[in-house]
Amino acid sequence: MIKLPGLIDPHVHLREPGQTHKEDWDSGTAAALAGGVTMLLAMPNTKPPIFDAGTLDLALTAARSKARCDYAQYLGAGPDNTEWGNQADLPQKAAGLKMYLDSTFGQLRLDDMTLWQQHFMQWPKELPLVAHSESRSMAAVILMAAIYDRPVHIAHISLKEEILLIKAAKERGIKVTCEVCPQHLFLTRDDIPAISQGHPGRGEVRPRLATREDVEALWGNLDVIDCFATDHAPHTLAEKDGENPPPGFPGLETLLPLLLTAVEDGPLAFAQGRRLTMDDIIQKSVTNPRRIFSLPEQPETWVEVDENANYELHADEMKSRCGWTPFEGWKVRGRVRRVMLRGKIAVEDGKILVQPGYGQNVRGK
Ligand code: DOR
Ligand code: ZN
């Protein structure tokens, strides 16, 4: 048995308000705990999107009565909410500001680069600013971080050109950090047929699955990656298999087993360059996200893992409401046995033992 600190996932979609048939604060935070995640940051592309005091209150009211793990909620950058200086302490109540600069799920997308600039200038420098920006828009975002001399965190990087540019930017002292998702570490576009099972919508995710060369560049530059994040993006199988399938993979319950299976001589570590240490996991899933997002320590909180348990991942044993996983049937090693959250047993052998409402808003003080 090994003991890890509770994991922090800085990138999770919980779908409440508005689309609770996919996930809600209860099912999503139960999935988090089952996966060893004791704190998560929830994304704002809900229905309605979270972008002002009223909509933030909507999300936090649901969270207060339903969340089982600790959390904070992002605000989204829109065309009409750039005046953050006039918003009293609203920014301080959020996990951070999320800017959607490339195509994705939901209505929160900013095309006008002058609006990007406004958000960069006006969002408080000491609070997290996270960009969904792929490829060339990522280059523009890094330029803005340099111009306005403020930190920016790049969500879910997936490409060789992205990791190499972030590396170069860091070497020159630009305040950029980044995260990588399991799907971009363990899957390439060649895996899409196996994931799809004849339903192409199941392979849809943004950023798209990349090439082997891209995946190898991520593994070859692990030291440039600050955080692991799931981008847990639950959509039901019926939606994934229907017309206009929405992009997104669930990930909260597969993150830790996949990472553990890539540690040292684990089965997923056999491919060239795929090698993690336990220290990498703790750094990128606990220490770094805590620092980058200014998150509090969680006292009496840990995850007990049976490191020698070999088993298969199956969606029908998971808590997420979406009912599927792109890693169905994968053989992994390392199972969460127990999760302690602030002195209480939160999970034991697959059972969630803390009630909805036990979770705390870490920006609530
Ligand atoms: O695949 C994705 N799904 N990428 C995103 O950026 C958003 C997410 C979602 O909300 O479903
Ligand atoms: Zn996302």
Side-chain angles (χ1 to χ4, degrees), residues 46-69:
T46 47
K47 257 189 168 168
I50 309 307
F51 66 98
D52 63 4
T55 49
L56 181 64
D57 193 50
L58 215 54
L60 291 181
T61 300
R64 198 170 303 125
S65 62
K66 296 172 82 172
R68 297 176 193 253
C69 72

Side-chain angles (χ1 to χ4, degrees), residues 25-26 29 33 38 62-71 298-301 339-347 352-362:
W25 279 92
D26 178 351
T29 54
L33 287 172
T38 54
R64 198 170 303 125
S65 62
K66 296 172 82 172
R68 297 176 193 253
C69 72
D70 294 346
Y71 60 89
Q298 295 173 292
E300 289 183 79
T301 297
V339 178
M340 294 291 291
L341 174 53
R342 285 182 282 100
K344 267 198 165 187
I345 301 177
V347 181
I352 308 295
L353 299 177
V354 284
Q355 297 309 304
Y358 182 69
Q360 289 184 353
N361 180 2
V362 298

Side-chain angles (χ1 to χ4, degrees), residues 3 11 24 89 99 101 104 126 138 143 152 195 209 240 266 281 288 306-307 321:
K3 201 170 148 182
H11 192 145
D24 70 359
D89 57 351
M99 303 178 67
L101 311 180
T104 181
E126 70 282 6
M138 192 202 79
L143 177 63
V152 67
I195 296 168
L209 297 181
K240 295 294 278 180
I281 297 181
N288 289 347
D306 179 353
E307 57 183 326
R321 206 161 273 169

Side-chain angles (χ1 to χ4, degrees), residues 179-349:
E179 68 192 28
V180 173
C181 306
Q183 63 264 25
H184 299 119
L185 281 178
F186 296 106
L187 298 170
T188 71
R189 30 171 99 132
D190 300 338
D191 294 305
I192 292 176
I195 296 168
S196 299
Q197 302 286 321
H199 305 275
R202 296 189 197 178
E204 288 292 340
V205 65
R206 298 292 176 277
R208 290 185 167 84
L209 297 181
T211 66
R212 172 149 299 272
E213 194 184 343
D214 291 310
V215 172
E216 276 168 9
L218 298 180
W219 281 99
N221 290 281
L222 269 185
D223 55 327
V224 181
I225 297 168
D226 298 282
C227 304
F228 294 132
T230 62
D231 194 9
H232 179 77
H235 301 285
T236 65
L237 257 193
E239 292 165 334
K240 295 294 278 180
D241 294 352
E243 295 213 345
N244 295 322
F249 291 171
L252 282 167
E253 290 163 272
T254 46
L255 168 75
L256 187 53
L258 288 169
L259 293 177
L260 289 169
T261 308
V263 166
E264 308 293 354
D265 59 344
L268 284 178
F270 284 155
Q272 209 195 354
R274 294 188 174 196
R275 220 159 272 252
L276 286 178
T277 62
M278 291 304 288
D279 256 11
D280 287 326
I281 297 181
I282 293 170
Q283 227 185 61
K284 296 176 201 303
S285 287
V286 186
T287 329
N288 289 347
R290 187 182 287 150
R291 188 192 69 247
I292 292 166
F293 297 91
S294 305
L295 301 169
E297 297 220 11
Q298 295 173 292
E300 289 183 79
T301 297
W302 67 81
V303 180
E304 291 171 28
V305 170
D306 179 353
E307 57 183 326
N308 296 316
N310 290 287
Y311 61 106
E312 290 181 3
L313 297 171
H314 290 295
D316 62 5
E317 295 165 13
M318 296 182 191
K319 317 286 178 204
S320 170
R321 206 161 273 169
C322 72
W324 77 287
T325 167
F327 300 104
E328 182 66 37
W330 277 44
K331 294 186 190 340
V332 292
R333 193 185 66 184
R335 193 195 283 276
V336 172
R337 281 290 178 216
R338 179 189 276 170
V339 178
M340 294 291 291
L341 174 53
R342 285 182 282 100
K344 267 198 165 187
I345 301 177
V347 181
E348 198 155 49
D349 291 324

